Amino acid sequence: MVKFFQAIVLCVVIISCRAQKWSPRNKYWRHLLKEQSGLDDGNGEHFDDMQSCVQTALSESNDVVLQDKTAVPTIVDTLTDSQNRTVLVEIGNAITPSQVESVKRLAECTRLYFPESRFDHREFTMSGGGNDCTFMNILLQIFSPEVFENVVNIAKLAYEKAGWGEQLRLLPPNMCGLRTAEYLNYKEFKRLGGHADTGSLFTVLFALSDPKLYQGGEFYLLPRDEPDDRMYYFKPRQYSAIVFLSETHHGVTDLEGPREMFTNEFWVYDDAPWHGSTRAENSEMGVFVQRVEETLDHSVDYYKEDDLIDLWPFEEDIEEFDGYSSGYGFYEDESSDDELNAIEDKNDEL
């Protein structure tokens, strides 16, 4: 009888917490799912709108499911630096056609209801280029939990292959928070300047486009301890993923044609709250977490919006924050700005 009761309770938990199964660090946004409301960026409540939009869009493209392949994700390649640390893992069959369709439809609905707060014509002013970015974190976990589950599974596959737990003592992806989930389009940009996803642990980049449809557009990566500043180039196949240590210098070469990507960054913090930044900075989240711990009962499973809304910091609060970077940091401060500029000049020559 006890086992039977436990099984019933377990089933109820699974059904009611479908989006939480693969998002264990969601206490700052779980109230949205519990209350089926709260998706408001100042222009009205859009929880029901988003739910209806996503369901309608996917019902109109059910035939895509028939294209899903039975092939399982497969390790294609790895990249190690001069100290024999794995910095990148390439995985084939990492996302299905129906999951790609889900990502695209979620991005469309996000831009429809949050055109200002969740979309950015993002220019990289320091290094050049950029991309059109639709921020989907939290929306991904709520409305496309099966896609989020896949993101975590692909990250775990790379994590285990690379040995990042043993080598670098990094948290496994299923114990990390999702810092950001972004649909990227390069229609208005012809390259993406070199940069690092500073403060994140792993970046999981899915290729949504067939590489035959665009020219150039190679993903490049530079392990910054390479003695000859050697660049490594990848042109990911459609439905494949590149998983790399976020603080590794990377970018995209000159390109022509449609290039669509889906990128996700994991970090040591919990998922940021809805009303926080679309791609929260470490300093923002650091101040926020300090305030939560000082003012709220942090033993609860999740918080309510009214508890959190006034705790997100303003710019003047961040300047006073004496926190830490949530990245692993083994490349931190190894290259000066002049050295990184030289790297970019070298890439331009190539």
Side-chain angles (χ1 to χ4, degrees):
M1 178 64 71
V2 173
K3 290 184 178 179
F4 177 73
F5 177 77
Q6 289 175 336
I8 294 177
V9 172
L10 180 60
C11 289
V12 171
V13 170
I14 291 174
I15 294 171
S16 63
C17 301
R18 180 179 175 223
Q20 277 101 56
K21 179 183 177 184
W22 292 97
S23 187
R25 306 191 65 173
N26 57 25
K27 62 184 178 182
Y28 297 133
W29 63 261
R30 197 187 310 174
H31 62 279
L32 301 173
L33 192 62
K34 291 286 186 178
E35 298 169 5
Q36 300 283 292
S37 66
L39 294 181
D40 185 348
D41 63 348
N43 294 310
E45 167 63 43
H46 292 301
F47 192 100
D48 290 341
D49 294 329
M50 281 294 300
Q51 190 167 32
S52 176
C53 180
V54 171
Q55 290 175 349
T56 300
L58 292 179
S59 66
E60 293 173 351
S61 56
N62 279 339
D63 57 320
V64 178
V65 177
L66 301 176
Q67 302 174 24
D68 283 355
K69 299 178 181 179
T70 57
V72 297
T74 306
I75 303 295
V76 175
D77 201 0
T78 60
L79 175 63
T80 56
D81 63 13
S82 62
Q83 298 186 39
N84 203 35
R85 299 175 297 202
T86 301
V87 296
L88 177 148
V89 178
E90 184 179 6
I91 301 174
N93 301 314
I95 189 170
T96 67
S98 62
Q99 289 170 345
V100 169
E101 196 68 18
S102 293
V103 169
K104 291 182 178 181
R105 297 298 181 242
L106 181 62
E108 289 177 3
C109 295
T110 301
R111 291 191 298 273
L112 176 63
Y113 291 107
F114 307 103
E116 297 182 2
S117 63
R118 292 262 156 176
F119 175 78
D120 187 13
H121 185 69
R122 186 168 60 180
E123 295 186 43
F124 282 55
T125 55
M126 295 294 292
S127 55
N131 48 47
D132 283 331
C133 176
T134 305
F135 297 98
M136 303 188 299
N137 38 309
I138 299 181
L139 299 174
L140 177 72
Q141 295 98 305
I142 292 176
F143 299 112
S144 298
E146 71 289 342
V147 176
F148 178 67
E149 175 182 343
N150 183 64
V151 172
V152 175
N153 283 336
I154 293 300
K156 285 176 60 180
L157 181 61
Y159 176 90
E160 293 166 359
K161 176 64 178 180
W164 286 328
E166 297 83 359
Q167 280 192 338
L168 304 177
R169 299 295 187 267
L170 299 182
L171 286 173
N174 59 311
M175 294 180 64
C176 293
L178 184 68
R179 181 186 189 182
T180 188
E182 303 170 3
Y183 167 79
L184 306 177
N185 193 298
Y186 291 83
K187 288 181 180 179
E188 304 297 327
F189 293 93
K190 302 303 180 185
R191 63 189 291 263
L192 178 62
H195 63 285
D197 300 332
T198 306
S200 296
L201 299 178
F202 325 104
T203 299
V204 186
L205 181 65
F206 294 91
L208 309 186
S209 299
D210 185 342
K212 296 178 182 177
L213 299 179
Y214 60 89
Q215 294 75 48
E218 293 180 300
F219 174 87
Y220 66 83
L221 182 136
L222 173 68
R224 282 163 54 180
D225 65 342
E226 291 289 330
D228 57 353
D229 287 340
R230 181 178 179 184
M231 293 277 193
Y232 295 86
Y233 294 85
F234 300 83
K235 192 163 186 179
R237 290 169 289 186
Q238 189 176 28
Y239 309 127
S240 69
I242 291 175
V243 186
F244 60 96
L245 295 177
S246 301
E247 293 185 346
T248 312
H249 195 75
H250 61 279
V252 178
T253 62
D254 293 350
L255 69 110
E256 291 289 342
R259 185 181 191 270
E260 298 172 283
M261 309 295 285
F262 172 46
T263 188
N264 303 262
E265 296 176 28
F266 292 89
W267 64 352
V268 299
Y269 288 114
D270 292 301
D271 302 348
W274 170 255
H275 63 269
S277 297
T278 49
R279 187 182 185 277
E281 295 297 331
N282 285 272
S283 53
E284 291 177 310
M285 198 64 181
V287 172
F288 174 74
V289 170
Q290 281 185 349
R291 289 178 171 179
V292 169
E293 292 180 347
E294 291 170 358
T295 60
L296 301 179
D297 178 8
H298 51 81
S299 65
V300 299
D301 290 335
Y302 69 94
Y303 300 100
K304 295 185 177 181
E305 185 70 15
D306 291 343
D307 299 328
L308 303 173
I309 192 68
D310 294 326
L311 298 182
W312 192 256
F314 294 100
E315 186 173 350
E316 57 267 24
D317 303 315
I318 296 171
E319 293 174 355
E320 300 175 359
F321 174 62
D322 183 22
Y324 63 94
S325 169
S326 67
Y328 49 88
F330 67 69
Y331 288 138
E332 190 173 359
D333 297 327
E334 288 189 3
S335 296
S336 66
D337 289 340
D338 290 340
E339 289 172 328
L340 289 179
N341 288 334
I343 291 169
E344 285 302 307
D345 291 341
K346 180 176 181 180
N347 182 58
D348 290 340
E349 294 174 3
L350 294 173

